[in-house]
């Protein structure tokens, strides 16, 4: 008879194949650990640092590394990271004489199976090594053990003999196998009498207090209670009924999920035994639930979601993605290339650079055009995220897309409306000043007309005198007597009042030219304000723009205030929308005039004052417009930029001036518009404009009011 293997023989044989590498710069520590492990049947190789250990591991298989954390050259943490990065399956136990929380925290990312604080007891070392060996043996022998188990149960059930020694040896071997398995095993006969029971099965089914050997021969109901017993009884009945494999999953009172599988062991004519495999299903169920929840979220999300592998092959799309791209529920999209939704040119020029960016930075967001199934295009707001597995290795991409075609169309309409409103406001501002502008034009036109009439009359008078001079010249050339003509000349000169005209005509001409110049200046200013422009920035002189604005608003200002300008002569030109800024200046100046009018009245004996100051620094041009008006009440200062909000009486203000001004300064120019105001004292507006245009993605932070 062949010698029977004992459980100890199986375990010791396994230890010879369990490769351990010890790493420490202290040879004394290596000797002690090597002796302890060798005494317990383990074979070890030693290394003085991480680099030497990596060379040993490269030469042959390594299943467990016991390493010090702090070592010269390559330390334990670098060694562990190198092992994890190379995807080797070796487990790691860290040792250290510096057991600080920081050291322990640094090792977590390396996923060690144990941590030893020097000096440590040999039994603590053996406990960790034995545990690692058990895990290794279970993972490497799982398939063999399952086969052995199945064959052993079937074969041993058929070949039961009176050979007690052999039966005991075989049972010991089988129980040794089961003791190292991560799942539990229960074998019963048709009457539910226990024939085989592993310690793991007892632990998983809540009876860790029992000895499995003492349960042999007992009924299932005498060992297991509650939901465990009911589940075993139910599966037992089903297997006996149809002779097929059956399974069930359920949650026990501790909250753990159990997976129970039952299959028959058939004898010559009928079922002899039923084997139950018991497994902890908790973690797997959590994973399945997470996947199910993510799928449910994807199905119910309000934006299109698609997932692809690293080769851009679609692995998932939600209903919104299908709908937006013009595909139905029956259209098979999984397995199709993502470039299905983009033209070939766009894929090469736009999508592939986006993907490359995501590979580098894990994320991209922006506007991307997509193609529907019918070939039509639509604009999306797209976000792309790199997917990683539980080892942080990239495994795919997830694409989020929101159809913003309608939103962009509405935004474009809104921008067009705002542009029209600004233009209308500019025309309205000029229109509200029309009477004053007409008066300003009327005055120079009046004296231009008067002087023109004067010059016409003067010319008629001089025309008679010129005729007389011509006759005398002709008579002189003919040698005739001019005595009579001299009397006529004297009379014509008297009537023409030649001395008077010599003095007045130059003045009349000068006044006429001045009037024409004043009218031309006003007309140019009006044209600047009423012209919508080409929507492009250009270099402009802020000082000249302010002077032009003062010209247009002169009649509105001159009756209630004096205007003082303190212009920076070295003010640089800035890149701006000129007509828009003219409107801002006009809005603020007209508001200042109205505020002063509330203080001094319509026919003031003493006027208020508006002071306009310009200056600059390296980056910005600053404009200050201060008035001595009534000021803005503290209670409403926070609302002055609200659309359609006004403190003026009905018919005098629309509430759009400062709202539009703020959009122009802040949003269109990247500047700031602030103010300070004290009720009864006046208001000062501060405008800051960048000398050069800000970048398109620069964020401008602007307070609602005040500094």
């Amino acid at each position: 008879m062949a010698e029977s293997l004992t459980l100890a023989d199986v375990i010791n044989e396994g230890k010879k194949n369990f490769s351990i590498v010890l790493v420490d710069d202290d040879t004394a520590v290596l000797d002690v650990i090597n002796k302890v492990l060798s005494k317990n049947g383990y074979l070890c190789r030693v290394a003085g640092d991480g680099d030497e250990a990596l060379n040993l591991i490269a030469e042959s298989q390594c299943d467990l590394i016991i390493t010090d954390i702090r070592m010269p050259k390559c330390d334990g943490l670098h060694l562990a990271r190198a092992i994890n990065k190379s995807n080797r399956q070796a487990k790691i136990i860290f040792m250290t004489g510096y057991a600080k929380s920081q050291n322990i925290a640094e090792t977590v990312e390396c996923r060690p199976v144990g941590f030893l604080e020097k000096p440590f007891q040999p039994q603590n070392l053996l406990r960790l090594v034995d545990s690692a060996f058990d895990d290794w043996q279970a993972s490497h022998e799982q398939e063999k053990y399952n086969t052995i188990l199945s064959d052993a149960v079937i074969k041993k059930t058929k070949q039961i003999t009176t050979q007690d020694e052999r039966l005991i040896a075989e049972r010991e071997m089988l129980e040794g196998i089961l003791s190292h398995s991560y799942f539990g095993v229960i074998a019963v006969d048709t009457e539910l009498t226990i024939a085989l029971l592993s310690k793991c099965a007892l632990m998983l089914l809540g009876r860790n207090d029992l000895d499995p050997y003492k349960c042999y021969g007992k009924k299932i109901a005498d060992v297991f209670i509650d939901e465990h017993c009911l589940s075993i009884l139910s599966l037992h009945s089903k297997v006996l009924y149809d002779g097929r494999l059956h399974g069930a999953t359920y949650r026990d009172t501790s909250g753990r999920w159990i997976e129970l599988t039952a299959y028959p062991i058939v004898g010559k004519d009928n079922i002899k035994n039923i084997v139950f495999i018991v497994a902890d299903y908790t973690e797997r169920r959590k994973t399945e639930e997470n996947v199910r929840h993510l799928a449910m979220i994807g199905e119910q999300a309000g934006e299109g979601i698609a997932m692809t592998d690293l080769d851009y092959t679609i692995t998932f799309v939600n209903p919104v993605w299908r709908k937006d791209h013009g595909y139905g529920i029956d259209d098979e999209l999984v397995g199709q290339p993502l470039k299905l939704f983009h033209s070939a040119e766009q894929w090469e020029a736009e999508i592939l650079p986006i993907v490359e960016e995501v590979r580098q930075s894990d994320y991209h967001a922006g506007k991307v055009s997509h193609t529907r199934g019918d070939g039509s295009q639509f604009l999306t707001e797209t976000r792309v995220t790199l997917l990683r597995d539980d080892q942080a290795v990239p495994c795919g991409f997830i694409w989020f897309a929101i159809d913003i075609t309608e939103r962009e169309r509405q935004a474009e309409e809104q921008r067009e409306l705002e542009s029209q409103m600004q233009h209308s406001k500019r025309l309205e501002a000029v229109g509200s000043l029309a009477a004053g502008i007409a008066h300003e034009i009327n005055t120079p036109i009046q004296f231009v007309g008067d002087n023109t009439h004067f010059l016409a009359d003067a010319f008629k008078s001089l025309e008679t005198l010129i005729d007389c001079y011509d006759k005398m010249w002709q008579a002189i050339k003919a040698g005739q007597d001019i005595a009579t003509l001299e009397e006529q000349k004297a009379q014509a000169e008297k009537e023409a009042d030649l001395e008077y005209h010599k003095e007045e005509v130059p003045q009349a001409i000068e006044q006429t030219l001045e009037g024409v110049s004043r009218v031309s200046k006003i007309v140019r200013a009006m044209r600047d304000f009423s012209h919508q422009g080409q929507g492009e920035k250009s270099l402009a002189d802020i000082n000249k723009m302010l002077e032009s604005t003062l010209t247009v608003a002169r009649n509105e200002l001159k009756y209630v205030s004096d205007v003082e300008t303190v212009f920076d002569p070295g003010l640089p030109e800035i890149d701006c929308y000129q007509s828009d800024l003219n409107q801002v200046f006009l809005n603020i100046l007209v508001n200042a005039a109205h505020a002063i009018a509330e203080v001094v009245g319509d026919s003031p004996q003493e006027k208020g004052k508006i002071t306009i100051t310009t200056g600059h620094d390296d980056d910005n041009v600053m404009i200050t417009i201060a008035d001595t008006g009534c000021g803005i009440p503290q209670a409403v200062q926070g609302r002055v930029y609200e659309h359609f909000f006004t403190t003026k009486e009905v018919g005098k203000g629309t509430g759009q001036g400062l709202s539009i001004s703020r959009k122009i300064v802040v949003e269109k120019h990247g500047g700031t518009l602030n103010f300070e105001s004290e009720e009864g004292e006046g208001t000062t507006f501060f405008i800051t404009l960048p000398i050069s245009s800000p970048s398109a993605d620069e964020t401008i932070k602007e307070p609602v009011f005040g500094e």
Side-chain angles (χ1 to χ4, degrees), residues 25 30 102 113 167 261 275 324 331 347-348 385 402 415 464 581 589 594 611 637 658 675:
D25 59 330
L30 291 175
Q102 180 180 359
V113 297
L167 180 61
T261 306
V275 177
D324 288 347
D331 294 318
W347 181 262
E348 294 293 333
T385 300
I402 301 175
R415 287 190 290 270
T464 302
L581 288 181
L589 287 171
H594 291 170
T611 304
Q637 287 187 12
L658 287 179
F675 69 87

Side-chain angles (χ1 to χ4, degrees), residues 651-664:
K652 196 168 186 179
T654 65
Q656 299 182 68
L658 287 179
S659 174
I660 291 176
S661 296
R662 188 175 186 276
K663 284 182 178 292
I664 292 172

Side-chain angles (χ1 to χ4, degrees), residues 543-595:
N543 288 342
K544 290 183 179 179
M545 290 168 62
L546 285 166
E547 289 174 352
S548 176
T549 305
L550 288 171
T551 299
V552 173
R554 182 174 181 276
N555 195 71
E556 187 80 13
L557 307 177
K558 68 181 182 180
Y559 296 109
V560 295
S561 66
D562 293 322
V563 177
E564 179 182 357
T565 58
V566 184
F567 289 163
D568 179 358
L571 197 69
E573 291 185 334
I574 70 169
D575 196 22
C576 66
Y577 299 99
Q578 297 186 41
S579 60
D580 286 342
L581 288 181
N582 281 335
Q583 181 181 348
V584 172
F585 301 149
L586 181 62
N587 290 342
I588 295 175
L589 287 171
V590 170
N591 285 346
H594 291 170

